[in-house]
Amino acid sequence: MAQALGAIGTEETAAAIAREKAAFASNVVAINTHDAALRKVGGSAKLSANQMLNLSRQGNDVVTMFALGAPPMQIFASQAGQIYDALSRGREVSRDR
């Protein structure tokens, strides 16, 4: 759109598209790595289905915040407690049964 309006040239458009494609590819790798890590953790730690569901949601939040450019400490501060909560609540539910 910016190119159509004459705001940027063809080379700038191509460079911007290349940057976006690289960022997207990087995010796909991060998501796949995250998914594989969660599956490994789930299998080895024998987490409950509820814990895995909550962890996958928190993992998605982490990846989304990263993709949107949030600083790493902000991501940590906003997600660490929720991840801890997801792990500790699952143990409590399992003990109650």
Side-chain angles (χ1 to χ4, degrees):
M1 182 167 190
Q3 184 182 10
L5 295 174
I8 61 174
T10 305
E11 289 179 16
E12 289 174 293
T13 300
I17 290 171
R19 283 192 306 272
E20 288 302 314
K21 284 182 177 181
F24 179 79
S26 175
N27 287 336
V28 168
V29 169
I31 289 169
N32 289 338
T33 301
H34 176 264
D35 183 57
L38 276 179
R39 289 178 191 279
K40 184 176 181 181
V41 166
S44 65
K46 303 295 183 206
L47 298 175
S48 70
N50 188 46
Q51 285 175 302
M52 286 306 298
L53 176 64
N54 286 334
L55 285 176
S56 68
R57 289 176 176 161
Q58 296 316 124
N60 185 53
D61 287 351
V62 168
V63 171
T64 300
M65 291 178 73
F66 176 76
L68 293 172
M73 284 308 294
Q74 179 183 359
I75 296 171
F76 175 78
S78 68
Q79 298 301 315
Q82 294 178 39
I83 291 170
Y84 176 80
D85 187 50
L87 291 172
S88 64
R89 277 199 183 170
R91 285 191 212 113
E92 291 169 6
V93 170
S94 296
R95 278 185 282 208
D96 291 343
R97 290 184 182 172

